[in-house]
Each structure stands twice: as C-alpha cells, then as structure tokens.
Amino acid sequence: MTLHPVLTAVTERVISRSARTRKAYLELIARERENGISRPRLACGNLAHAIAASGDDKAGLRSARGMNIGIITSYNDMLSAHQPYGRYPDQIKLFAREAGGTAQVAGATPAMCDGVTQGQPGMEISLFSRDVIAMSTAVGLSHGMYEGVAMLGICDKIVPGLLIGALRFGHLPAILIPSGPMPSGLPNSEKQRIRQLYAEGKVGKDRLMDAESDSYHAAGTCTFYGTANTNQMLMEVMGLHLPGSSFVPPNTKLRQELTRAAIHRLSEIGARGDDYRPLGLCVDERAIVNAAVGLLATGGSTNLAIHLPAMARAAGIVIDWNDLDQLSSIVPQLTRVYPNGSEDVNAFHAVGGMPSLIGSLLDAGLLHPDIMTVARGGFAEYRKKPCMHDDALAWEDAGPSTDDTILRPPANPFRADGGMKVMEGNLGRGIYKTSSVAPERWTIEAPAAVFDHQEDVLKAFRDGKLDRDVVVVVRFQGPAANGMPELHKLTPTLAVLQDRGHKVALVTDGRMSGASGKVPAAIHIGPEAYVGGPLSLLRDGDVVRVCARTGSVETLVSATELANRTPSRPPAPQFGTGRELFALMRGNVDMPEQGASAILASMDHMAAHEDA
C-alpha cells in the first residue's frame, strides 16, 4: 500500500528538522559501541566486583561468551501494574540461560502511581519522576556489564523514562516487557456515575470507596485507556514489544511464554550476532511518526503529547505539536475504549486489539511498514496475535476486528480525524483532545473563573459559585510552577456542571490525564503563567472562548487592556512530600511541547556549548 502523502510529508519534515541532532546522536551510539565501557574493557577488579554474587552464572559472566542482559525494573508491590514484575528477574535469568546467556538486575527505578497521587501533593513530582527514571536507568547501565537491556515498566512516566534513559545507551538492543492488564471490574461508566454522585454529595465516601475498589481490584494495569495503556500501545506500534504482547493478562501461561520469547529474542539481536538491532536504530524518525499515528488512531492520552517529543528528543529527533495536528487531520479514530467509549482494553484486545489495529493502518498506508523492530520478521509480524498451541507459543494472523463497536478499520472509522487539536490564541498555545468530547461542546464561550489551586475550584463548586456557564481557568500549574500535576480530580466536578446544562470548559497550563473524559479542556497552555504567560493576566469575569473547530483559545479582552495589566503573582513554592527536592528541575525545565524535561534541556544546552 502506498503511504499517505501527508504521512510522508510529516516524516520528511521531521527528518529534515532533526538532521543535525539525529546525526550527532547516531555518532554518539557508534562511538559507544566501538569505544564505550563494556565487559571486555573492564579491569579485573571491576569485573570481579560485578560477578561476585552471581553464583552459577559467574563462569559465563567471566568468559563473556554469551549476552549478559541488564534488567531495569520498576517493580514495587503498591502499584498494581508493576506488582507482577516481582517474579520476573528470576524468570528472566532462567530464560537467558536457555539462550546461552546470563542476566543481572542492573538497577531499579521509582514507579509512581498517578492514580494514588491524583489531587495530592505528591502529584507535583510525578512528571519529574520521568527524569528520575531516565537517570536511574542510566545509572544501572553505566556499569558497562550488559550487551542487551530488558526493561520492565508500564505506567505513566515510567515507560517514557525507561526509554529516554536506555536511548542514551542506544548501541545496545533493548526490549520492553509488559505485564498486562488486570481483569475487568466495575464498568467505567458506572464508576464515573458514582464519582459524579459523590461530587454532588448524593452518595457517601463508603459508596465511593466500594466503587473505586471494584474498579481497581487485582494485579495488573488499570483497564481504562489512560496513559499507562497508551504507553503499551505506543511501544508495540514502535516495534519495541513482541507482537501482540501489550494486553495479555498477567499470571497466565501465555504471558510467561511471551516473556521467555522476549529474552530469547533479545539474545539474538546483539552486536555479536548477524541480526544486530540496537535500540537507537529501532527508534528512528519513522518509528516516532508511527507512534504519533497510533496515539491519534486510538484516541490516546494527551500526556503523550509531552512524552513523545521527550522520547524522540533522547534519540536526536524533533517532533512538535504541529506534526501531531497535521497527522490528526488524516488519521481516523478507530477505537472506542473508555473514556472514548464504554468498553476497556480487555475488550479491545479480545476483538482483535493491536494486531488488527496495526494491520488495518498498514493496509491504509498510515504506518511506515519498514521500521526496524525487535521482531525477527519486521513490522509485518505485528499483524499477528500470540497464542498457545499444544503448550507452545505461536503467532497466528489476527484478521480484522470482530466487533466494530470497539475497533473499526480506517474505511469505517468512528471519526474521520485523530481527535487531537493544537489550540492557539492570545492565551497561548496548547492541546485539546476532541475525541472524548461531544461535537456540540467543541465551542464554549463564557466568563472565566480564575484559580491558582485546584482545591479552590472544588471549594467554589461546593459554595455554589460555579453553577453557571463558566470557563474554569486553573493557572500556575505548569512544569516550572509546581511540576505540572494532572488535574483529573476536577473532572467529576466539571462534569456535574456540564450535566446540569451549563456550558463548561477548562483552560490550564497544567495537565489532564488520559481519563480526562467528556469536559472540553484546553491544556498544556504555554507559555505558562509562572513565566509571565498570558494566563497570568486573566481576571474573574473575563470572557474566554475555547473553540476546537478553529483551534483557538482566547480571551475577548482587548489587547490594549491586557497590555496594561500586571501579571498575577505566582503562589509561594510548596514544601513537604519531597517537593522541595525537585526545585532544581522546576528551575531548568523547558516547554511541554519540547517534552517538559529538565535533563533533556540541560543536555541540549551542553550540545549547543560543544557546537559553539
């Protein structure tokens, strides 16, 4: 199938824009392969330290005959998605021995749960945990003991952080290994209904707790299509998972065999063999564009509008929101998974899932078919679904979706576009996710209610001050101000106002989660208020217009009046819950469209100094 001309044009623009930085990156990983730290170059004392506790693997590690796989794990048993990883290292060591190699836990990373920290002070360090995870990955791999990398991670900042860190060791092959979603629990629509009833004071905390516990009830990833599951989709459409492995449930024979197959495959794609597939070559401009297409085709989390540029940047690739916007014009929405529909990722997987989705996008010319993947047969293998035949792992053709209420082909989409819009105007530049918002609500014009803290929004609601047409503006929520916490806690409250018949929208320089739901929201607005962005000039009662049809976010206050206003003073920095430890990152972070990363901003500064 011929590639869609817009897909080709966007890819060529990304390649051209990235020419200098990609060249520098490829030169880096080539140097690291030839001259960087590695097992054969370690002194005897270095190597002795590294293998001292290796038991039966010591002889193999000393001889350096087979691949030694470095495991980067984000295991903890508080986070349901990562609890299954507790057993993975011991299994991976056995699987590596079967392939003639060895494996060691190279290091661990933090793994925050945004579901636990939503609306809490800890959410203010969530985005920056991605940088910490990237640095933790680099610390683990810096010992030079490894010829391949197995990354264990699922959720919001964890997969992007793992990939950013591993890409700085891009001469090594790497595979991300998922653990799978928990069984389906309380239907998402019922969970949302109970949350809104609680926000209105119509049910008590015990009823809310019962509903939440019935939704999040077992080991595995949360089953709505939020950031965690968008990450899994992204890794598969980039070819960094084994085909069809993203949404296979934990604690099953198929899940275990996919982990075994991933380790066996990793042992085959190292530099010593004839099928070398280093991570830095797998993640190229075409793979990044494929990731953007997958994000749009599935109505994925808006958080990836921040994470995707950051991951790309770690490989020397520059993609921006204009690229996403242009791709959104030609990539149809093919899935209905909560919050864009009523079903969850288990239902999506059952009706064809990722193999059917990828196959249909390839047939429509909307994915690059020639990317380098970790699978032996290339991207064509990602049309296939894994299964067990006679107690052995096999792959079979997935075919088309078996339920067009959940997953459709491009010829019969749910929407003609990808549901993500760049918003621009005199209030700045941001993102709007149209895919979960009814079209009749795409344009909202109403007086603003301006807040500096999300708790003040909830108080105003309880006091009856928001029971009207309103654009709720929550500012000083950007990365430089307070780490850019998600404002998902506001969703039930704003949904109540909307259900009462009011015209309601949110405008913020903060984030909303992949479960942001049905309320119109212009988010990630920059420049953020903390650095003097236009949101700092807004006052209560100013009329604000948010229009996804025209891609505009603006106040109707005149330019002259705005120019004469003094920016509002930012709230004082907050101490407690470790937030003060992240002041260095807040002070060095760059714009969300660039990835909102302090470490990548500093890295680019180093590169610019070297060029000078």
Side-chain angles (χ1 to χ4, degrees), residues 488-508:
H488 181 52
K489 188 177 182 179
L490 301 181
T491 300
T493 297
L494 299 179
V496 167
L497 295 174
Q498 184 171 272
D499 288 350
R500 290 176 182 172
H502 300 307
K503 296 178 180 178
V504 181
L506 174 71
V507 174
T508 182

Side-chain angles (χ1 to χ4, degrees), residues 402-427:
T402 59
D403 187 338
D404 66 5
T405 68
I406 301 172
L407 173 61
R408 292 183 178 179
N412 180 34
F414 292 105
R415 291 168 48 99
D417 62 66
M420 191 171 289
K421 190 78 174 176
V422 172
M423 306 290 284
E424 291 190 90
N426 61 8
L427 291 180

Side-chain angles (χ1 to χ4, degrees), residues 545-604:
R545 179 180 173 86
V546 179
C547 181
R549 298 188 186 281
T550 60
S552 62
V553 53
E554 58 188 355
T555 177
L556 303 190
V557 176
S558 71
T560 301
E561 182 174 345
L562 286 176
N564 288 328
R565 288 182 178 178
T566 301
S568 295
R569 187 174 181 177
Q574 298 296 300
F575 283 68
T577 323
R579 287 173 287 179
E580 58 275 16
L581 298 175
F582 289 79
L584 182 67
M585 289 188 174
R586 292 194 300 272
N588 291 279
V589 70
D590 52 21
M591 298 278 285
E593 188 168 3
Q594 297 171 281
S597 170
I599 59 172
L600 293 176
S602 298
M603 188 177 73
D604 286 353

